[in-house]
Amino acid sequence: SGNDNSEALPESIPSAPGTLPHFMEEPDDAYIIKSNPIVLRCKAMPAMQIFFKCNGEWVHQNEHVSEESMDETTGLKVREVFINVTRQQVEDFHGPEDYWCQCVAWSHLGTSKSRKASVRIAYLRKNFEQDPQGKEVPIEGMIVLHCRPPEGVPAAEVEWLKNEEPIDSNLDENIDTRADHNLIIRQARLSDSGNYTCMAANIVAKRRSMSATVVVYVNGGWSSWTEWSNCNARCGRGWQKRSRTCTNPAPLNGGAFCEGMSVQKITCTSLCPVDGNWEVWSEWSVCSPECEHLRVRECIAPAPRNGGKYCEGLSQESENCTEGLCIQDKKPLHEIKSQNIETASDIALYSGLGAAVIAVAVLVVGVTLYRRSQSEYGVDVIDSSALTGGFQTFNFKTVRQGNSLLLNSSMQPDLTVSRTYSGPICLQDPMDKELMTESSLFNPLSDIKVKVQSSFMVSLGVTERAEYHGKAHSGTFPHGNARGFGTIQARNKAAYIQNLSSISTRSELKTTAIFGHLGGRLVVPNTGVSLLVPHGAIPEESSWEIYLAINPRESSLQPEGPDVLLGPEVTCGPSDVSVSTPFALTIPHCAEVNSEHWNIHLKKRTQQGKWEEVMSVEEETTSCYCLLDPYACHILLNSFGTYALIGEPISECAVRQLKVAVFGCLSCNSLDYNLRVYCMDNTPCAFQEVVLDERLQGGQLLDEPKLLHFKGNTFSLQISVLDIPPFLWRIKPFTACQEVPFSRVWCSNQKPLHCAFSLERYTPATTQLSCKICVRQVKGHEQILQIQTSILENERETIAFFAHDDSNFPAQMGAKAFKIPYSIRQRICATFDTPNAKGKDWQMLAQKNSISRNLSYFATQSSPSAVILDLWEARHQHDGDLDSLACALEEIGRTHSKISDITETEMEEPDFHYSRQNGL
């Protein structure tokens, strides 16, 4: 397995023939909390040895702790191994995936691998991505409080608090806290008013959001109308009314009052009353045997109506009609009357005495009963307060953090002023406790508005902030091998962050070497500019000093009109010689290749200093050939000189690809930190120029550069700084966003565009900066760069800027410069240069290598296949993808040997060898 440091295995270790190690315990995923190391363990049976491999590299055997035992059932050896993983090891690892470890167990039959266990540094940021916002909702309305917890590893779990008490949605079906950390109250109740706080926690820490105040209010509703009142005018025209009250329900907690009228009136007409009046007395009647006659009258003159009064007085009169001379029963009339009067007087006397006796008896009984009923109280005097004590007013106050607010129910509250309700209820008098019941405290009154406000105060302490320092320390690895930081994939963010001291100066953007008949390759390091001199281009027994340089931007071609310079201006020489076989010049460009939007030309500078057009990329010509790849143009030429690619936009959809990079450094003022945002052509040489400038200023690349598609539609570019941590950093007002005119970005003959932002720390203890840089074209593409860095120089990482760092090989001569061995190349040319009945086979070779345009150029060459292979070499100088070429040859069916089968020894490429990942 490649473990040279492993101990010799004893021959006496029992094993079961034909049995591979079986893992009884595999390493689990783990999180490093703060600076505490974690322990990974592995247990297998039967196992002679167990070693851990982390990130593809063996862990040194001295770092293993091993325990052995014997399985009583099978008699096989059981081995258990432990290793420690520290925070520093995880921070020092920079790869496309998380830090991982797995263990490999050996038996006599072979090896077994366990699962991969990832190890991550646990953290939880301080600021919530979204705090819940307070709101006022009507009763029975839906309440949704949003909460996005801080970023953390592992992801934080969210818990909701109401007035500092946890909310259990299992106990209340009306509340749901499962929907993406949000709190949902389906139908709001009055009791749902309060302060709500979002709590986020993981294994590292807990965080509290800002509290959100929720007020559930009740809008008022009208009661039913009363009956119409009587007309207010007793006579003539008047009015009558009816009313209603806003008590069904009454408005509460700021709810709206009822809309409409509380009183309605209508007109009415009442008939005037007519009092009655007597008519004239009638004539006296005939004298009766009793010596009396009568007369009558009626109340009809007029009769009473519409409530008028009835006539006052008697409606009938009688009187003696004989003036006392009438005789009845042989006696004079006046004698008979006297006897009748005396008898009536006696009856009245006796009746009065009886009534008095009855009244006295009733009075005596009443007094007795009254006294008996009062004796049940045991007292003679009753205190009226005993009947009204349950309704007396009382005072209570709320206490929180030493601040008290006295609430008196006898005072009329101000409905427009908010009050803070928090903490327990404290009674003014112990007697009040008997009066204060749960219902009297929490049943809202109809005329009081209680508005709960946030009482959560945020304390900012610099010493409490989590700091993430990444210091580079050399680790110990198996076999004494150190980790290599060679070429890293472009997707790896860390591959773009480096100390700028390793970058060359501007004066070194030129490469010179002496070439002979075997040819070679010249490269301007880390610029994408290269020159391939094919085998045989220089006469035998001759040697030329060939140079390749990038001209300074200040002296470059100045395009006219709408034309733009798409790449660097490149000079190769000597200019006074010509080669017999075309050489390949590679120039990077920044255009998004599309013939419908761009017309791209190749221009050459004459000896008089003027520029003349060599060809259009889409043009059919036999003088030279241009192959336009997405990021570079490969040109086949026969003469040296100064060349440049010019683009003419033919529509507003023409896209110029810009690379956006952010550099940062401390300013002279120790509290200030400068951010510089560059927008440059998406070419390695433009990035190289920026890197050189930043090296002089002590800048550090803060994030992987991003690609921005900038259209030629005349809209400007906006650059802004977002999400600056409050209370830790600040930026000057009105400087967080800068706008650059379209012409300044589109014109390429000026220095790379950059905008500077100055941030200031509140305290020197702040060493971490986290923010976002937004770069966008108005009505166009947008890119966001995430800044998460330490501003301390001793914590910066030193990793290569470029995915393909060719600074170590600026010049290669002979066979080293080519991916295809010369012997194989000769066989390919001999095979495909020979015509057959189906036509020139080199055309099929060109088609399989995506060369389908301007084939007449290759037809004029002495060996078309050789030129096609030269073009392949120029396109694949970094990857050397021989397998794809072999597949193309197999599809054609003209060769039986696969290039990929050629051994590294036969290829003789010590400087550009291939490394294959071989699993254990």
Side-chain angles (χ1 to χ4, degrees):
S1 61
N3 189 349
D4 298 336
N5 294 331
S6 62
E7 299 177 357
L9 299 177
E11 298 180 356
S12 60
I13 296 179
S15 63
T19 301
L20 286 173
H22 168 69
F23 286 99
M24 305 171 66
E25 183 177 353
E26 297 185 80
D28 295 324
D29 296 339
Y31 297 95
I32 293 180
I33 302 175
K34 296 183 179 179
S35 297
N36 301 320
I38 57 98
V39 178
L40 296 180
R41 63 184 66 217
C42 190
K43 188 175 182 181
M45 176 186 75
M48 297 184 297
Q49 289 288 354
I50 300 178
F51 282 101
F52 272 88
K53 176 185 283 189
C54 294
N55 307 314
E57 298 182 0
W58 292 106
V59 178
H60 198 280
Q61 63 179 2
N62 294 339
E63 299 179 14
H64 292 73
V65 177
S66 179
E67 295 180 0
E68 294 182 359
S69 62
M70 191 75 66
D71 186 84
E72 297 179 357
T73 304
T74 61
L76 299 178
K77 181 179 290 295
V78 178
R79 181 175 293 269
E80 188 172 7
V81 176
F82 310 85
I83 65 168
N84 288 337
V85 179
T86 65
R87 181 188 182 100
Q88 191 65 49
Q89 288 174 308
V90 178
E91 287 180 342
D92 289 343
F93 174 69
H94 303 282
E97 56 185 356
D98 293 333
Y99 190 103
W100 60 268
C101 293
Q102 70 175 163
C103 54
V104 182
W106 278 263
S107 70
H108 286 298
L109 183 62
T111 61
S112 296
K113 296 181 181 179
S114 71
R115 66 179 295 273
K116 290 184 179 180
S118 64
V119 180
R120 305 176 69 186
I121 297 177
Y123 67 92
L124 184 62
R125 304 204 184 283
K126 286 200 169 185
N127 296 328
F128 276 70
E129 295 186 3
Q130 182 179 7
D131 286 295
Q133 302 295 320
K135 55 183 61 180
E136 298 182 358
V137 295
I139 193 168
E140 297 184 357
M142 177 177 286
I143 302 174
V144 179
L145 297 181
H146 298 279
C147 175
R148 292 174 60 191
E151 178 187 351
V153 172
E157 295 184 357
V158 170
E159 179 185 27
W160 283 92
L161 304 180
K162 176 189 174 185
N163 297 333
E164 305 302 323
E165 295 293 332
I167 297 176
D168 189 352
S169 59
N170 295 325
L171 302 179
D172 192 344
E173 296 181 352
N174 193 38
I175 298 178
D176 186 4
T177 58
R178 299 169 297 176
D180 195 21
H181 307 311
N182 299 328
L183 173 65
I184 300 175
I185 301 178
R186 297 182 180 89
Q187 288 186 327
R189 302 155 296 193
L190 290 175
S191 59
D192 292 324
S193 296
N195 286 339
Y196 289 84
T197 307
C198 182
M199 291 286 294
N202 65 3
I203 59 177
V204 180
K206 289 184 178 181
R207 301 285 185 256
R208 288 174 57 102
S209 71
M210 298 294 292
S211 292
T213 300
V214 173
V215 176
V216 180
Y217 61 86
V218 178
N219 292 325
W222 290 113
S223 65
S224 300
W225 289 102
T226 61
E227 296 293 333
W228 288 105
S229 66
N230 296 326
C231 194
N232 68 327
R234 292 191 59 202
C235 177
R237 188 179 182 84
W239 54 266
Q240 55 187 150
K241 67 177 180 179
R242 65 176 181 176
S243 62
R244 57 180 179 175
T245 57
C246 189
T247 57
N248 186 32
L252 185 64
N253 293 345
F257 196 81
C258 303
E259 295 183 359
M261 299 171 54
S262 61
V263 178
Q264 281 185 343
K265 292 184 179 180
I266 58 174
T267 59
C268 59
T269 301
S270 298
L271 298 177
C272 294
V274 176
D275 295 336
N277 195 18
W278 295 113
E279 65 175 351
V280 178
W281 286 102
S282 64
E283 296 292 334
W284 288 101
S285 65
V286 177
C287 192
S288 67
E290 290 81 14
C291 301
E292 288 183 340
H293 60 171
L294 303 174
R295 67 175 181 176
V296 295
R297 60 179 178 177
E298 294 182 4
C299 189
I300 56 173
R305 61 179 184 270
N306 301 333
K309 294 180 180 180
Y310 196 79
C311 302
E312 296 181 357
L314 299 175
S315 62
Q316 178 178 315
E317 283 185 340
S318 64
E319 63 178 18
N320 191 282
C321 58
T322 63
E323 298 181 357
L325 300 179
C326 183
I327 298 176
Q328 187 176 14
D329 294 335
K330 308 298 183 178
K331 291 183 180 180
L333 184 59
H334 64 275
E335 294 181 0
I336 296 174
K337 287 185 178 180
S338 175
Q339 294 176 357
N340 293 338
I341 292 173
E342 291 177 357
T343 303
S345 299
D346 294 339
I347 294 174
L349 175 62
Y350 292 125
S351 299
L353 289 176
V357 172
I358 293 173
V360 171
V362 171
L363 179 63
V364 171
V365 173
V367 171
T368 302
L369 294 176
Y370 175 75
R371 284 187 173 274
R372 287 182 180 179
S373 63
Q374 294 300 323
S375 64
E376 296 177 1
Y377 289 95
V379 294
D380 293 333
V381 180
I382 301 175
D383 186 2
S384 62
S385 66
L387 302 177
T388 60
F391 301 92
Q392 291 190 17
T393 60
F394 53 89
N395 300 334
F396 67 95
K397 63 180 180 179
T398 59
V399 179
R400 182 178 177 88
Q401 299 178 354
N403 296 326
S404 62
L405 177 62
L406 183 63
L407 299 179
N408 190 339
S409 62
S410 63
M411 298 172 59
Q412 183 67 20
D414 184 359
L415 300 182
T416 63
V417 179
S418 300
R419 294 288 184 256
T420 302
Y421 177 86
S422 58
I425 300 296
C426 296
L427 302 177
Q428 296 283 11
D429 192 297
M431 292 298 294
D432 293 337
K433 295 182 179 179
E434 300 177 1
L435 300 177
M436 292 291 288
T437 65
E438 182 180 355
S439 60
S440 64
L441 286 177
F442 297 104
N443 285 343
L445 301 178
S446 60
D447 58 345
I448 296 179
K449 172 185 177 182
V450 180
K451 190 170 185 178
V452 187
Q453 287 187 335
S454 170
S455 61
F456 175 69
M457 301 300 294
V458 180
S459 299
L460 294 174
V462 177
T463 59
E464 298 178 0
R465 288 189 295 274
E467 298 181 357
Y468 304 95
H469 297 167
K471 298 181 181 179
H473 296 291
S474 60
T476 303
F477 303 92
H479 326 308
N481 294 334
R483 279 183 191 168
F485 293 95
T487 302
I488 295 181
Q489 295 182 1
R491 293 181 179 270
N492 187 352
K493 172 181 176 180
Y496 290 88
I497 303 175
Q498 163 195 3
N499 190 320
L500 302 181
S501 60
S502 63
I503 305 301
S504 59
T505 61
R506 265 200 189 85
S507 60
E508 297 175 353
L509 296 181
K510 179 179 179 180
T511 304
T512 303
I514 297 177
F515 291 93
H517 182 70
L518 298 179
R521 189 192 302 268
L522 273 181
V523 175
V524 181
N526 299 327
T527 62
V529 177
S530 63
L531 178 69
L532 182 73
V533 180
H535 184 282
I538 299 176
E540 295 186 11
E541 300 180 358
S542 298
S543 60
W544 295 348
E545 182 180 7
I546 299 178
Y547 61 87
L548 179 67
I550 298 177
N551 297 343
R553 185 181 294 270
E554 293 77 10
S555 61
S556 297
L557 168 64
Q558 305 295 325
E560 298 178 355
D563 294 352
V564 292
L565 187 62
L566 297 179
E569 180 184 307
V570 178
T571 298
C572 53
S575 59
D576 55 349
V577 296
S578 297
V579 293
S580 57
T581 303
F583 62 87
L585 177 64
T586 298
I587 301 177
H589 67 84
C590 62
E592 185 177 72
V593 179
N594 191 326
S595 59
E596 296 180 358
H597 306 318
W598 285 104
N599 187 9
I600 300 177
H601 306 267
L602 176 67
K603 290 194 175 184
K604 180 181 180 181
R605 186 162 57 187
T606 62
Q607 295 181 354
Q608 292 76 22
K610 296 183 179 181
W611 289 87
E612 62 181 12
E613 182 172 334
V614 178
M615 66 171 294
S616 172
V617 172
E618 300 296 328
E619 181 182 348
E620 297 283 340
T621 178
T622 58
S623 60
C624 61
Y625 186 88
C626 287
L627 179 62
L628 200 62
D629 279 345
Y631 299 104
C633 183
H634 310 283
I635 311 166
L636 297 176
L637 299 165
N638 288 89
S639 60
F640 297 104
T642 300
Y643 296 91
L645 284 175
I646 302 297
E648 177 188 359
I650 55 180
S651 76
E652 291 187 353
C653 296
V655 173
R656 183 174 194 147
Q657 296 177 334
L658 302 180
K659 180 176 291 186
V660 181
V662 182
F663 290 80
C665 68
L666 284 171
S667 65
C668 298
N669 182 357
S670 61
L671 293 179
D672 290 349
Y673 191 77
N674 294 329
L675 292 177
R676 290 183 289 275
V677 183
Y678 289 85
C679 297
M680 69 210 86
D681 290 346
N682 183 35
T683 59
C685 54
F687 184 55
Q688 172 86 310
E689 181 179 356
V690 171
V691 167
L692 296 178
D693 288 338
E694 283 297 321
R695 169 192 158 187
L696 301 177
Q697 302 181 57
Q700 177 193 14
L701 186 63
L702 302 183
D703 190 20
E704 174 187 348
K706 299 291 181 66
L707 188 62
L708 182 73
H709 300 283
F710 192 80
K711 290 186 177 182
N713 54 11
T714 71
F715 286 107
S716 60
L717 185 72
Q718 292 180 345
I719 304 175
S720 55
V721 183
L722 308 174
D723 296 347
I724 300 175
F727 311 112
L728 298 179
W729 294 85
R730 62 186 173 190
I731 189 171
K732 293 181 180 180
F734 310 110
T735 62
C737 181
Q738 302 183 31
E739 186 162 355
V740 184
F742 169 82
S743 58
R744 174 67 180 88
V745 183
W746 192 256
C747 184
S748 64
N749 57 348
Q750 304 179 33
K751 294 189 65 176
L753 168 69
H754 88 275
C755 294
F757 300 89
S758 180
L759 305 181
E760 182 181 359
R761 295 178 286 172
Y762 283 93
T763 170
T766 302
T767 61
Q768 298 290 327
L769 173 61
S770 174
C771 64
K772 296 179 182 179
I773 304 294
C774 176
V775 182
R776 62 181 291 268
Q777 184 182 18
V778 178
K779 298 184 179 180
H781 191 214
E782 176 183 90
Q783 282 288 8
I784 301 292
L785 289 90
Q786 300 281 352
I787 306 301
Q788 181 69 44
T789 184
S790 170
I791 64 174
L792 301 180
E793 294 184 2
N794 58 354
E795 296 182 359
R796 297 178 184 172
E797 302 173 354
T798 306
I799 302 173
F801 265 114
F802 303 96
H804 304 288
D805 191 348
D806 46 18
S807 57
N808 295 328
F809 307 101
Q812 296 172 286
M813 281 74 72
K816 297 179 181 181
F818 303 96
K819 309 298 181 185
I820 307 174
Y822 182 66
S823 59
I824 302 299
R825 176 190 175 94
Q826 285 183 315
R827 283 193 292 169
I828 295 176
C829 294
T831 301
F832 288 97
D833 284 342
T834 303
N836 63 6
K838 297 181 180 179
K840 297 288 186 178
D841 280 349
W842 61 262
Q843 297 183 10
M844 300 176 65
L845 178 65
Q847 181 182 0
K848 293 298 181 180
N849 284 276
S850 302
I851 301 174
S852 57
R853 185 188 54 79
N854 196 14
L855 296 182
S856 58
Y857 172 81
F858 300 97
T860 61
Q861 305 298 322
S862 58
S863 175
S865 301
V867 179
I868 293 174
L869 294 179
D870 291 338
L871 196 56
W872 183 94
E873 292 275 3
R875 299 175 72 182
H876 297 85
Q877 61 174 317
H878 291 298
D879 54 42
D881 191 4
L882 288 174
D883 288 336
S884 64
L885 180 59
C887 291
L889 297 177
E890 284 183 340
E891 291 179 9
I892 297 175
R894 295 285 294 175
T895 179
H896 302 288
S897 61
K898 295 180 62 178
I899 294 181
S900 59
D901 293 335
I902 301 171
T903 63
E904 295 181 4
T905 304
E906 180 181 355
M907 294 174 67
E908 297 180 353
E909 293 180 305
D911 292 335
F912 282 83
H913 64 276
Y914 301 98
S915 61
R916 296 181 175 86
Q917 299 294 332
N918 295 323
L920 182 63

